[in-house]
Amino acid sequence: MTFDREPDLDNANVGMPCFSRSEFMRKLSRWELPLHTLQGDMAMKKSNYLLRMVMLAMFVALGVVISPILRVEGMCPMAHLINVTCAVFMGPAYAFLCAVLIGVIRMMIMGIPPLALTGAVFGATLSGIFYKLSKGKIIAAVLGEIIGTGIIGAIVSYPVMTYLWGKEGLTWFFYVPSFIMGTLIGGSIAFVLLLRLKATGQLKKIQDALKDVPRSEDKAA
């Protein structure tokens, strides 16, 4: 068999599927949907991360400013108020970071001894952990602060203050009474405040605004 002319292979539609205009637009919309969803997730995560950073900065600033209220060496009730509130709002990791930042700033600016750290970080972390394990019980967060600061932090403060700070005449349980008293005062204030927020529904709204945004595919799963 012969041909009058050579076939135009360059313009031939070899191996290419043929779509109608409506079918092509339908397929294109399906391809674009995951891209729009991914962009939306990224924007929400960025906004959520920024909100958490702003809230953390507010807690740190507030903790530094109000820390002198009712403070004596070995007792800082307002620090425990911040610890419990931050732990309930943002979880143990952010509560720990908040306590560290407040402690370091107080030590650098106010000349506070290392009690600013030993009397805060353990309670803040345990407060968040206890709150999460109890599935949202505020009293558990307060209990975590009392155990973490009033007992663990107080005992750890002895070697820190003795061997690093050079203070004499201390014992292992020297700071326990004052630390427990401070946690009871600050924890009680936080307990009343958080209960009030929970009763009005504001606590849930704040927690929802600060928690991680799940990806769309995770929601679908």
Side-chain angles (χ1 to χ4, degrees), residues 37 124 135 169 206 212:
T37 303
K135 298 182 179 179
I206 294 173
D212 289 330

Side-chain angles (χ1 to χ4, degrees), residues 34-181:
L35 179 60
H36 290 316
T37 303
L38 179 60
Q39 291 174 340
D41 287 345
M42 292 176 63
M44 290 180 66
K45 280 183 174 293
K46 184 176 180 180
S47 175
N48 184 262
Y49 175 78
L50 179 61
L51 181 60
R52 290 200 299 269
M53 291 298 101
V54 170
M55 181 64 74
L56 177 63
M58 290 175 58
F59 271 122
V60 172
L62 184 62
V64 173
V65 170
I66 69 174
S67 62
I69 300 176
L70 301 179
R71 179 193 172 272
V72 296
E73 184 171 324
M75 188 178 77
C76 185
M78 296 301 103
H80 311 305
L81 165 63
I82 296 296
N83 282 354
V84 176
T85 307
C86 184
V88 171
F89 278 14
M90 307 181 71
Y94 280 96
F96 171 80
L97 180 58
C98 181
V100 170
L101 292 174
I102 292 174
V104 170
I105 293 173
R106 291 178 64 208
M107 290 173 63
M108 293 177 61
I109 297 178
M110 301 178 180
I112 306 297
L115 295 175
L117 287 174
T118 58
V121 294
F122 301 103
T125 307
L126 277 187
S127 181
I129 292 174
F130 279 26
Y131 181 76
K132 183 171 289 188
L133 291 178
S134 67
K135 298 182 179 179
K137 293 183 179 179
I138 298 174
I139 189 64
V142 177
L143 182 62
E145 176 68 22
I146 294 173
I147 295 175
T149 297
I151 299 177
I152 299 176
I155 294 175
V156 171
S157 296
Y158 163 69
V160 172
M161 293 298 292
T162 299
Y163 301 112
L164 296 182
W165 202 250
K167 190 166 184 176
E168 299 178 352
L170 302 180
T171 63
W172 283 100
F173 296 97
F174 179 84
Y175 289 108
V176 170
S178 59
F179 273 34
I180 288 182
M181 181 61 67

